[in-house]
Each structure stands twice: as structure tokens, then as C-alpha cells.
């Protein structure tokens, strides 16, 4: 791509008057003038290293001296390969209001300013070059360009080149690639959800299981069939279907021919206890006279009326819910469609919910967007942004201006459509939960209103779908796998049979969808619309997310995720930054290899939450899973909807108070409470450690007391034994003396000589004195005395055996033998006291 042409050899910027006119708008009082001359080269490449650029995002065009009319802010407009960036001239900071991904743009076209006759308006050279960009996320942004230049033409040409890629590989999702947000195979996730519904959560899906077709598990009532493995049965259905166990594959093939686009009745959700199911399909092909029938279709539908638990032979009732108004269903009979007759279907009742089609929803969405733009604080039309400058009068008029704006919100019909959907969903959930009935839901093709009703009813009935992982499983099952045409409904690039991308909306000068009559009458120039885009674009999924936000408002503690999560999820969806929601069906995404070539939205959102766990803004601080562990059945009086402030008002009224402030405060309190809990747990741990230490010391003290008691008893016993031994030795004619240091002296008095032998106390490691050692010393002394005895013969015998010395020797020998028995008796040194 080539860079835009320099502006007359020099860069010009914008300066607007600091004087604020009372009750006026924005761009009508702006003064366009030349600033100091700046060389174009000084701007070239100056924004190539912006911190806000995403991975693989590169700047392709720069436009200086642009003003964001909504906020009266001058700056630089940058075009990348992914989005429009608007940087403030003063701070070079990113301005969120003026930053829009290309895929989120619904239309863009040139606009001429209105002629102003208000006496407060200044006619000093107002800008005559305006570009209006209408986004799918409720904002209408107007950029003003320098008069007398071709700058706006360059921007339009650049937008057409950037926002209308010719090939699939030109999309940013493919340019960026999977990066660190790799995508696991969505088929495995679908099978895991089927296994959970069948009560087979212990099974884990794998690609081997898919390749060898071994995923066809079943329970007593339902089974998984691989009949659509190659999408030969229905191209917009997933590869695996959950059907009644009593119906064969051959009967399923026959039944599919009686439903529009072969979208036969299949199970979307089943109650694990009661056996009730929520099934989905497209309209039956009954024809203009409503008299066409199919025995296979009737048998398949009747199989949902399984036997009630506990009732012998009783069968549950079946409700066939047609989401359309009755007259629309009858009108479709002219095209071969129509609705069922209760007389042809076993134990059934037909109910019409009266929800309008995609064209009415598209018009309603456009009207409410125009209402918010006209009556918001950042209006694209400066004269109608009543409260922006705080003028002396509200809206430049009187109180009637406020009163006139009130019915416009109701005239949009958006909230009425939301209420119709919520009422139908609450009715379906009540039939399943209270009557244990089964419900078959369909509209015309079974991929718009049907998907809204089935997924919302499942959300009310199953608490698992109100968690992060369950919400992902719900969307991937009912919206992606069952073929909601995201490319057509969200205005994304489409896939043709050849595998190339087609753009739903293309024109020579602009991309656009039809706007409301209010906007059409006020716009000076409207670009032509493609019939393809006119017939297929509709914010059906955004409407479903709006319904989810209404349920979150009614049950603020029942959902694990917060409204902020829904908004960030919606932005990722509309931007086409990831590949999860590209194409119109599972088959098309598999043909393009989306899961391998593009990043995963779910992995990106999970990565955001991983850094702060439960304190992240995506986590609901009020979540109470124990309180809401069953179905949610809102009464009719609680179903009155209101605007979704986090989504509807974030651009129109960004500074107004909203529930996020309360969430921020609650989240801060949650963080503080978590820190206090950690401190409490740490204190309790220390208390436990101290308690264990005190307990251990107490046990040691008791043990020491026992040892002390035993020692005292042993000491008393040793004293008694010492006295006994002393008397025994003394009875042999020996005198035993104990010194203060514990030494023992034995004196032998009987005999020709007096022998005295000192016996030192011998201590062991335990400070024990062994009397056997002393006796050994006495025995040695006796041997010495015998060697010196004159009555001893050479042979060693005694010539006077009756002498007293010989008798003493024999007694010492016996005494030595007796003391050998005392070797095991140990007497501690401390047991003896000084005498």
C-alpha cells in the first residue's frame, strides 16, 4: 500500500476556538487555522513503535490534523492492518472513542454539516469535510478533515483498501496467527459437553476418538451418532449429534428430509435426573395447505416423550415451541414451510412466542443506536449533544425537548424484543423444571431465534452454564456447532464454496447497512447497500448477550462472570481479532482450518484472568454458587428489561455513573477481605505452632518429672545396697571406707599383715560405679598376700590350711562370684552424698 500524499508540502493541524457557546454543539463553532509550518518528514514513521499496537499490527496510513467531532479533540488518524487509531494531538495518547477495528465498522460515508440558523452558532468557516463511521458496538463517530484538501478522499480510499480484504489470508486473524493464544480442537470440546450431558464425564474426548468414530456413547435414553461426521446429513449441523436411543440412523436420514435445510430435531440439553430434554430443529415442510406429514419425523419427535420416573406407563408431555408469530408461520407455508399440528404429534401442544424476524431486529438495533447518539454526551451531531457543554438551557430548548426524547427509546422496539425473548425463555424453563416436560424449539431455519431460546433456557436450567467454562461450552455448542451464520449476521467476511472469502457489503465508496429513518433523513449522503447485506445482517447474537445481561441484573450472584466480561467478549467478537466466530458453520471453519491458523478468543480471555484470579474485572465479586445451584425461574414481573449500561451507554454516556463503580468498590473490598483472610490464616498457623510447642514442652516436663522420681527411688535403693555391701565386706574382716570424692578403701585386718588397698571409683559414660571392679582389686590384693606368705609351698598349696588367711581367701572368691551378679546394677555418682 502507498502512503497518502503530503498536504501541500507541509503538515497542517487543527485549532479550535476555546470560546464555548452556550447551548451549541461542537464542530459548528470550530475555527480552522494554520499552525506553524511542520515538515511532513517529521511525522513520517513517528508512530511506528506505539505501545498500543498489537502483535503483527502495523501502521499503513497516517493522517495529521484530524478532529474527533464527538469530543472536539484534535489529533492524528492512523490506519493499521487491523483498525482505525485516533491519537490525541496534545498527549499522543490513544482515544478509545475514535479507535475502531475495521471488522466492527457497519458503514462509513462522507457527510456534509447542516446549515445552522441558531443565533448562538458561529459561521466562521466551519469544516466541510466530515467522515461518519457507524460501528456495530453502538457508536457513531465523525471525523473532521481540513477544508480545501483531498485528505478525506485519501482516508476513504485507505479505508476501502484496509477494510475490504480480497483474500482470507489478508484478515488480521490470519496475519497474527495463533500466537500464544492457541486453539484446541472445538470438536473435542463439543464431545466433552455431550459426555457431561449423558453422565459420562469420566470419558475424555480426543482426536483419535473422532478419527476411529468411537465417540458414540449412550445412556439409557439418549445416544451420540456419527451420522453427520462428514456433514452429509446436514451441512449446518455439527459432526456429532445427540438423538434418542430408540431411533436408528436410517430413520434419522428419513426424518431430515421433512425439515428445512435438513435440520432435523436433535437434543440440545437434557436433564440429568428427570430425563426431560430441550430439542431444536427447523420448521417442518408441511406446505401451503399444512397437510404434509412424515411418519419418521413424528416418530422422532414422539421419542422425546419418555416415561416419567416413578409413574407406571405415564409419558411426559411435549411442547412444540414456534418462536415466530403465528401469521409468519402460516405465511411460510407458501414457501413450503409452516408449523406442526398438535393432532399429528404424540401428546404435544403447539405454542407460538411471536418473536420478530432478523429484519425487525436489525431495524430496531439501528433505531436505538441513533437514539443513544442523539441524546448522549458524545453525539456525532454537535447540535444535539444537549448536555455536553453545560449550557444555560437543556438541549438548547426547553423541557419539552426532554419529554420528546422519552418515547423515542420505546419506539425503537429494542427493549420490547428483549422482553419477548425473556418471556419465552422463562416459560420454556418453567415447563422443563416444574412439569418435567420436554420442549422442541424451532423458528424458520432454526439458527437464529431458535438458538436464542434454546441457549437461554439452558442457561436458566443448568448452573454449569453460568460459569466461565460452562458459558464457553454453551456458546460453542448451541451457536457455533449448530450453525448460527455469524458471517452473515455480524457482517463478517463470508466463505464461498471455493474457499475464498466474500465480503457481504461492498461498494465503490463505502460499506454500509441500512440505518433507521431518523438517520436516513438527517444524512446528506447515503451509500448504496448490497442486497446480500440487507437481507442477512442482524445483531441476533448481540441481542442474546443483552438478554444474558438482563438475567445477570435479576440474579447478580448467580453468574461467575461479570458484565465487563460480556463487553470484552463482545468486542473481541466484533473485531475479528480471533477466528472462533468466523464463517457460518462448523464445516466452513474446518475447511479453512480456523482452529489451527487463528488465535483463540477463549484462551485470550482466560489469559487475562490468570494474572489476578478471582479479583479480575471479569470475575463477579457477588458470585454465590451454593445459593444458586439449581434452575433460575424468574417471574413475569421481573422480566422488564432496561438498557445494558456497560454496553449501550459506554460511548454515549461514558462519564455517567454505572454499576461498574459499585463492582470496583466491591472488588476492592474483596481483595482487602482476601488479604485479611490470609493474615488470619497465618495467625492461626502460628497459634497452632505455638500450641504444638507448648504441648511438646508439657510432655517433656512430665517425662522429666517421671525420670526424677525414678532417679530418687534408685538413689534410695542404691544407698541401702551400699550399706548392705559395706556390712557384708566388714563381716569378712575387712573395713570399707568411702571418701567424699567417692573412692573406696578396703583394709584387711585378719592375718599376719595388715593389707590396705585403695579402690578408685571407675566411671562409665553414664557415671556409674561398679563394685565388681573394687572386688577385683581386693582379689588381686589377696593374690599378692598369698605370694608373700611364708607358709605357702612351691606347688602353691598352703601348709596351714586351717589358718585364718586361707579362710579369708576362700571367702573372697565366693564374694567375687556374688558381685558378678551385681554387674548390671548401676549407681549414679549423684546418688551419694558427702559424709
Amino acid at each position: 500500500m502507498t502512503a497518502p500524499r503530503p498536504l501541500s508540502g507541509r503538515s497542517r493541524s487543527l485549532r479550535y476556538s476555546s470560546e464555548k457557546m452556550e447551548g451549541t454543539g461542537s464542530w459548528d463553532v470550530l475555527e480552522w487555522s494554520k499552525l506553524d509550518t511542520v515538515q511532513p518528514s517529521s511525522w513520517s514513521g513517528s508512530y511506528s513503535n506505539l505501545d498500543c499496537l498489537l502483535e503483527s499490527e502495523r501502521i499503513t496510513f497516517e493522517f495529521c490534523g484530524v478532529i474527533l467531532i464527538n469530543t472536539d479533540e484534535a489529533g492524528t488518524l492512523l490506519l493499521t492492518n487491523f483498525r482505525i487509531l485516533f491519537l490525541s494531538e496534545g498527549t499522543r495518547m490513544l482515544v478509545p472513542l475514535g479507535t475502531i477495528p475495521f471488522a466492527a465498522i457497519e458503514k462509513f460515508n462522507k457527510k456534509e454539516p447542516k446549515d445552522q440558523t441558531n443565533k448562538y452558532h458561529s459561521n466562521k468557516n466551519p469544516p466541510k469535510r466530515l467522515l461518519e463511521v457507524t460501528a456495530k458496538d453502538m457508536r457513531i463517530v465523525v471525523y473532521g478533515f481540513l477544508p480545501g484538501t483531498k485528505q478525506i478522499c485519501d482516508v476513504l480510499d485507505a479505508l476501502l483498501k484496509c477494510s475490504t480484504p480480497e483474500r482470507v489470508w489478508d484478515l488480521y486473524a490470519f496475519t497474527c496467527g495463533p500466537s500464544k493464544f492457541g486453539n484446541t480442537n472445538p470438536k473435542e470440546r463439543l464431545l466433552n459437553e455431550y459426555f457431561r450431558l449423558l453422565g459420562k464425564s469420566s470419558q475424555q474426548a480426543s482426536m483419535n476418538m473422532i478419527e476411529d468414530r468411537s465417540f458414540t456413547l449412550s445412556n439409557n435414553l439418549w445416544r451420540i451418532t456419527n451420522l453427520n461426521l462428514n456433514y452429509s446429513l446436514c451441512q449446518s449441523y455439527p459432526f456429532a449429534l445427540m438423538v434418542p436411543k430408540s431411533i436408528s440412523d436410517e430413520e434419522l436420514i428419513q426424518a431430515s428430509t421433512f425439515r428445512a435445510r435438513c435440520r432435523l430435531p436433535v437434543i440440545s440439553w437434557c436433564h440429568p435426573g428427570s430425563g426431560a430434554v430441550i430439542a431444536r430443529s427447523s420448521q417442518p415442510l408441511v406446505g401451503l395447505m399444512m397437510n404434509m406429514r412424515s411418519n419418521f419425523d413424528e416418530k422422532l419427535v414422539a421419542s422425546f416423550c419418555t416415561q416419567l420416573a416413578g409413574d407406571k406407563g405415564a409419558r411426559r408431555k411435549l411442547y412444540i415451541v414456534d418462536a415466530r408469530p403465528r401469521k409468519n408461520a402460516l405465511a411460510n407455508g407458501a414457501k413450503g414451510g409452516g408449523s406442526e399440528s398438535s393432532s399429528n404429534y404424540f401428546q404435544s401442544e403447539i405454542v407460538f412466542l411471536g418473536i420478530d424476524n432478523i429484519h425487525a431486529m436489525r431495524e430496531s438495533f439501528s433505531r436505538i443506536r441513533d437514539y443513544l447518539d442523539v441524546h448522549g454526551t458524545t453525539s456525532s451531531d454537535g447540535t444535539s449533544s444537549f448536555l455536553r457543554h453545560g449550557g444555560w438551557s437543556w438541549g438548547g430548548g426547553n423541557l419539552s425537548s426532554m419529554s420528546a426524547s422519552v418515547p423515542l427509546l420505546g419506539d425503537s422496539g429494542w427493549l420490547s424484543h428483549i422482553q419477548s425473548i425473556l418471556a419465552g425463555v422463562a416459560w420454556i424453563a418453567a415447563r422443563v423444571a416444574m412439569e418435567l416436560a420436554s420442549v422442541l424449539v424451532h423458528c424458520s431455519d432454526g439458527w437464529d431465534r431458535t438458538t436464542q431460546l434454546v441457549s437461554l433456557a439452558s442457561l436458566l436450567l443448568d448452573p454449569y452454564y453460568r460459569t466461565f467454562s460452562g458459558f464457553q461450552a454453551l456458546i460453542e455448542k448451541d451457536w457455533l456447532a449448530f450453525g448460527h451464520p455469524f458471517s452473515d449476521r455480524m457482517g463478517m467476511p463470508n466463505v464461498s464454496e471455493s474457499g475464498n472469502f466474500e465480503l457481504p457489503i461492498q461498494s465503490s465508496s463505502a460499506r454500509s447497512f441500512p440505518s433507521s429513518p431518523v438517520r436516513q433523513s438527517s444524512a446528506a449522503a447515503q451509500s448504496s447497500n448490497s442486497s446480500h447485506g440487507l437481507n442477512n445482517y442482524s445483531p441476533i447474537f448481540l441481542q442474546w448477550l443483552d438478554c444474558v445481561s438482563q438475567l445477570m441484573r435479576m440474579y447478580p450472584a448467580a453468574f461467575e462472570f461479570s458484565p465487563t466480561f460480556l463487553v470484552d467478549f463482545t468486542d473481541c467478537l466484533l473485531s475479528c481479532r480471533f477466528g472462533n466466530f468466523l464463517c457460518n458453520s462448523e464445516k466452513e471453519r474446518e475447511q479453512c482450518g480456523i482452529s489451527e491458523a487463528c488465535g483463540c478468543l477463549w484462551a485470550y480471555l482466560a489469559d487475562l484472568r490468570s494474572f489476578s484470579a478471582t479479583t479480575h474485572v471479569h470475575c463477579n465479586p457477588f458470585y454465590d454458587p451454593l445459593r444458586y445451584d439449581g434452575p433460575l425461574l424468574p417471574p413475569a414481573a421481573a422480566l422488564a428489561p432496561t438498557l445494558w449500561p456497560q454496553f449501550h451507554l459506554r460511548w454515549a454516556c461514558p462519564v455517567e455513573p454505572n454499576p461498574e463503580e459499585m463492582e470496583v468498590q466491591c472488588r476492592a473490598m474483596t481483595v482487602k477481605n482476601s488479604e485479611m483472610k490470609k493474615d488470619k490464616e497465618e495467625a492461626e498457623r502460628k497459634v497452632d505452632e505455638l500450641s504444638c510447642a507448648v504441648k511438646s514442652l508439657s510432655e517433656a516436663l512430665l517425662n522429666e518429672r517421671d525420670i526424677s522420681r525414678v532417679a530418687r527411688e534408685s538413689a534410695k535403693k542404691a544407698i541401702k545396697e551400699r550399706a548392705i555391701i559395706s556390712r557384708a565386706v566388714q563381716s569378712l574382716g575387712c573395713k570399707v571406707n568411702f571418701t567424699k570424692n567417692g573412692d573406696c578403701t578396703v583394709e584387711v585386718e585378719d592375718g599376719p599383715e595388715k593389707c590396705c588397698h585403695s579402690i578408685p571409683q571407675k566411671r562409665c559414660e553414664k557415671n556409674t560405679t561398679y563394685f565388681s571392679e573394687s572386688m577385683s582389686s581386693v582379689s588381686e590384693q589377696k593374690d599378692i598376700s598369698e605370694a608373700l606368705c611364708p607358709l605357702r609351698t612351691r606347688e602353691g598349696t598352703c601348709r596351714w590350711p586351717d589358718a585364718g588367711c586361707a579362710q579369708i581367701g576362700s571367702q573372697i572368691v565366693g564374694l567375687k562370684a556374688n558381685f558378678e551378679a551385681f554387674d548390671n546394677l548401676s549407681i549414679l555418682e549423684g546418688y551419694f552424698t558427702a559424709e
Side-chain angles (χ1 to χ4, degrees):
M1 295 182 179
T2 60
R5 293 170 294 185
L7 302 177
S8 303
R10 60 184 177 180
S11 177
R12 291 190 288 180
S13 185
L14 174 68
R15 183 179 67 196
Y16 52 94
S17 174
S18 60
E19 178 184 1
K20 296 298 181 181
M21 306 298 293
E22 294 182 351
T24 64
S26 59
W27 44 263
D28 298 280
V29 297
L30 297 176
E31 293 184 0
W32 296 76
S33 60
K34 301 177 183 178
L35 294 180
D36 296 336
T37 302
V38 181
Q39 296 300 326
S41 58
S42 64
W43 293 93
S44 179
S46 59
Y47 297 99
S48 58
N49 296 322
L50 288 175
D51 295 335
C52 62
L53 293 179
L54 303 175
E55 184 179 3
S56 301
E57 185 180 12
R58 63 183 185 278
I59 297 175
T60 55
F61 294 96
E62 280 185 27
F63 300 96
C64 306
V66 181
I67 183 171
L68 184 61
I69 299 297
N70 302 65
T71 58
D72 295 345
E73 189 169 3
T76 301
L77 190 69
L78 304 176
L79 299 185
T80 72
N81 57 335
F82 174 56
R83 54 184 170 169
I84 299 174
L85 296 176
F86 187 82
L87 303 180
S88 175
E89 184 179 73
T91 62
R92 291 200 176 187
M93 298 295 293
L94 194 69
V95 180
L97 178 62
T99 300
I100 311 174
F102 295 134
I105 296 176
E106 182 178 302
K107 62 182 178 181
F108 57 86
N109 52 269
K110 291 186 293 185
K111 180 180 179 180
E112 298 294 333
K114 294 189 235 180
D115 294 331
Q116 305 296 334
T117 59
N118 193 298
K119 64 179 180 179
Y120 297 106
H121 291 173
S122 172
N123 293 320
K124 293 183 180 180
N125 193 23
K128 299 296 184 181
R129 298 291 183 268
L130 302 177
L131 172 65
E132 183 181 70
V133 177
T134 302
K136 304 169 189 174
D137 58 1
M138 307 299 294
R139 56 178 155 172
I140 300 176
V141 182
V142 175
Y143 303 97
F145 297 90
L146 296 172
T149 68
K150 295 182 179 180
Q151 199 173 29
I152 189 172
C153 298
D154 294 336
V155 173
L156 283 174
D157 292 341
L159 277 178
L160 285 174
K161 293 178 181 179
C162 295
S163 60
T164 55
E166 298 179 357
R167 302 178 307 161
V168 59
W169 312 115
D170 295 332
L171 288 173
Y172 175 77
F174 289 90
T175 303
C176 181
S179 184
K180 64 177 181 178
F181 307 117
N183 193 5
T184 58
N185 195 295
K187 290 185 175 182
E188 297 180 20
R189 298 198 292 267
L190 177 63
L191 285 180
N192 286 329
E193 177 59 14
Y194 280 165
F195 295 163
R196 186 188 73 88
L197 293 173
L198 291 176
K200 307 289 185 180
S201 298
S202 59
Q203 298 287 336
Q204 189 68 27
S206 64
M207 287 307 300
N208 292 334
M209 182 181 292
I210 297 174
E211 292 172 358
D212 59 22
R213 304 189 179 190
S214 59
F215 57 84
T216 56
L217 304 182
S218 64
N219 59 15
N220 295 333
L221 298 175
W222 324 114
R223 68 183 178 94
I224 302 174
T225 178
N226 58 14
L227 185 61
N228 200 41
L229 185 63
N230 298 320
Y231 308 103
S232 57
L233 180 68
C234 177
Q235 295 189 6
S236 58
Y237 265 6
F239 76 103
L241 302 172
M242 198 158 63
V243 296
K245 193 174 183 179
S246 58
I247 304 298
S248 65
D249 287 348
E250 291 75 15
E251 291 172 321
L252 292 175
I253 295 175
Q254 295 296 328
S256 66
T257 61
F258 188 67
R259 294 281 171 169
R261 302 183 185 272
C262 296
R263 295 174 65 91
L264 72 160
V266 294
I267 298 170
S268 176
W269 181 83
C270 56
H271 194 285
S274 67
V277 300
I278 297 179
R280 60 181 299 166
S281 69
S282 61
Q283 64 180 342
L285 303 178
V286 295
L288 180 61
M289 303 303 296
M290 309 288 286
N291 57 357
M292 301 296 293
R293 298 180 59 179
S294 170
N295 293 333
F296 297 101
D297 183 77
E298 293 172 7
K299 181 180 179 181
L300 174 59
V301 173
S303 63
F304 299 139
C305 301
T306 56
Q307 183 174 338
L308 288 169
D311 294 339
K312 297 181 179 179
R315 304 290 290 275
R316 69 182 74 250
K317 188 174 182 178
L318 173 69
Y319 289 96
I320 301 178
V321 176
D322 195 326
R324 303 166 294 181
R326 184 187 295 269
K327 61 179 182 180
N328 291 17
L330 295 177
N332 280 334
K335 302 177 182 179
S339 188
E340 297 87 350
S341 174
S342 59
S343 60
N344 297 335
Y345 291 86
F346 175 77
Q347 204 164 328
S348 65
E349 179 179 341
I350 313 298
V351 178
F352 292 91
L353 298 184
I355 301 174
D356 288 326
N357 58 23
I358 61 172
H359 311 296
M361 301 306 176
R362 177 177 63 243
E363 181 65 23
S364 178
F365 183 78
S366 179
R367 287 178 181 273
I368 192 174
R369 180 175 53 201
D370 291 344
Y371 168 82
L372 294 173
D373 177 63
V374 170
H375 300 285
T377 59
T378 58
S379 172
S380 62
D381 186 349
T383 61
S384 59
S385 184
F386 299 140
L387 296 178
R388 185 173 350 169
H389 299 296
W392 63 272
S393 62
W394 193 89
N398 49 40
L399 189 60
S400 62
S401 300
M402 176 187 285
S403 302
S405 69
V406 174
L408 294 179
L409 177 62
D411 291 343
S412 69
W414 183 258
L415 296 182
S416 298
H417 294 315
I418 296 292
Q419 187 171 21
S420 298
I421 296 172
L422 290 176
V425 168
W427 186 89
I428 293 173
R431 302 287 76 76
V432 176
M434 300 175 65
E435 297 183 19
L436 305 181
S438 292
V439 181
L440 171 62
V441 184
H442 71 77
C443 51
S444 297
D445 294 322
W447 52 36
D448 291 312
R449 289 165 284 189
T450 298
T451 306
Q452 288 179 330
L453 294 171
V454 167
S455 55
L456 281 175
S458 301
L459 191 71
L460 289 177
L461 291 169
D462 197 335
Y464 171 68
Y465 292 138
R466 301 193 286 268
T467 64
F468 282 110
S469 57
F471 191 70
Q472 174 184 347
L474 178 67
I475 292 177
E476 291 194 317
K477 172 173 64 72
D478 283 323
W479 287 91
L480 292 170
F482 276 94
H484 175 68
F486 276 99
S487 290
D488 292 343
R489 297 296 181 261
M490 301 304 296
M492 297 179 183
N494 195 12
V495 179
S496 64
E497 292 298 329
S498 61
N500 298 323
F501 268 54
E502 298 175 350
L503 293 173
I505 308 299
Q506 297 187 48
S507 65
S508 59
S509 61
R511 297 174 45 182
S512 66
F513 298 100
S515 85
S516 67
V518 175
R519 183 62 59 179
Q520 287 178 353
S521 61
S522 63
Q526 287 287 347
S527 55
S528 61
N529 298 315
S530 167
S531 61
H532 183 82
L534 175 64
N535 292 331
N536 291 278
Y537 171 74
S538 187
I540 298 300
F541 189 70
L542 294 181
Q543 190 178 48
W544 181 79
L545 291 174
D546 197 341
C547 292
V548 174
S549 74
Q550 304 294 336
L551 295 177
M552 295 175 68
R553 177 180 57 84
M554 285 185 271
Y555 301 98
F559 294 81
E560 185 182 12
F561 45 86
S562 66
T564 305
F565 168 79
L566 289 184
V567 174
D568 290 347
F569 168 75
T570 304
D571 288 342
C572 291
L573 165 69
L574 295 177
S575 69
C576 283
R577 179 181 174 184
F578 305 98
N580 301 73
F581 294 87
L582 294 177
C583 309
N584 286 326
S585 64
E586 180 184 277
K587 176 184 177 181
E588 291 182 359
R589 283 185 288 274
E590 183 177 358
Q591 288 176 343
C592 293
I594 297 294
S595 60
E596 295 83 10
C598 302
C600 178
L601 178 149
W602 306 111
Y604 167 72
L605 296 176
D607 182 70
L608 293 179
R609 297 192 302 271
S610 64
F611 293 103
S612 51
T614 57
T615 60
H616 194 269
V617 293
H618 288 175
C619 300
N620 180 12
F622 307 104
Y623 180 51
D624 187 359
L626 298 179
R627 179 182 176 187
Y628 295 99
D629 59 349
L632 304 178
L633 301 176
L639 297 175
T642 184
L643 288 177
W644 178 10
Q646 290 87 349
F647 182 74
H648 291 143
L649 301 180
R650 61 171 171 163
W651 304 120
C653 307
V655 298
E656 296 303 313
N658 56 60
E660 288 186 2
E661 295 181 359
M662 183 179 297
E663 289 184 9
V664 170
Q665 296 177 4
C666 181
R667 193 167 284 107
M669 294 178 63
T670 302
V671 173
K672 187 175 181 179
N673 184 44
S674 177
E675 294 175 352
M676 294 178 66
K677 284 184 177 179
K678 291 181 180 178
D679 294 340
K680 179 183 176 183
E681 292 174 356
E682 181 66 18
E684 290 177 347
R685 184 185 63 81
K686 291 182 178 180
V687 169
D688 292 340
E689 290 178 355
L690 291 175
S691 299
C692 292
V694 170
K695 184 178 179 180
S696 177
L697 291 175
S698 299
E699 293 176 353
L701 179 60
L702 292 175
N703 189 33
E704 288 294 333
R705 288 178 180 177
D706 293 339
I707 293 174
S708 177
R709 178 181 55 81
V710 173
R712 287 194 299 269
E713 293 176 354
S714 300
K716 292 178 181 180
K717 183 178 179 182
I719 292 173
K720 292 180 181 180
E721 291 178 349
R722 189 186 71 172
I724 294 172
I725 293 171
S726 298
R727 288 195 297 269
V729 173
Q730 290 173 3
S731 66
L732 298 176
C734 299
K735 185 178 180 180
V736 181
N737 298 320
F738 291 93
T739 63
K740 291 182 178 182
N741 57 4
D743 293 336
C744 178
T745 302
V746 180
E747 296 179 358
V748 182
E749 297 180 350
D750 296 337
E753 295 183 4
K754 181 179 179 180
C755 299
C756 180
H757 182 70
S758 177
I759 306 174
Q761 185 184 31
K762 206 167 187 180
R763 298 176 177 86
C764 66
E765 291 181 0
K766 296 183 179 180
N767 297 325
T768 305
T769 302
Y770 292 91
F771 280 87
S772 59
E773 295 291 338
S774 299
M775 296 309 300
S776 297
S777 299
V778 173
S779 178
E780 292 175 358
Q781 185 67 31
K782 169 184 168 293
D783 294 339
I784 295 173
S785 299
E786 289 180 351
L788 299 176
C789 183
L791 298 178
R792 192 172 186 80
T793 63
R794 292 181 179 179
E795 290 79 9
T797 60
C798 183
R799 295 177 181 178
W800 190 8
D802 296 331
C805 61
Q807 295 176 2
I808 291 174
S810 63
Q811 291 176 0
I812 289 178
V813 173
L815 185 60
K816 180 180 178 182
N818 291 336
F819 271 100
E820 290 179 354
F822 295 153
D823 284 345
N824 294 329
L825 177 62
S826 60
I827 301 175
L828 299 177
E829 179 183 5
Y831 292 168
F832 301 96
T833 58
E835 295 181 351

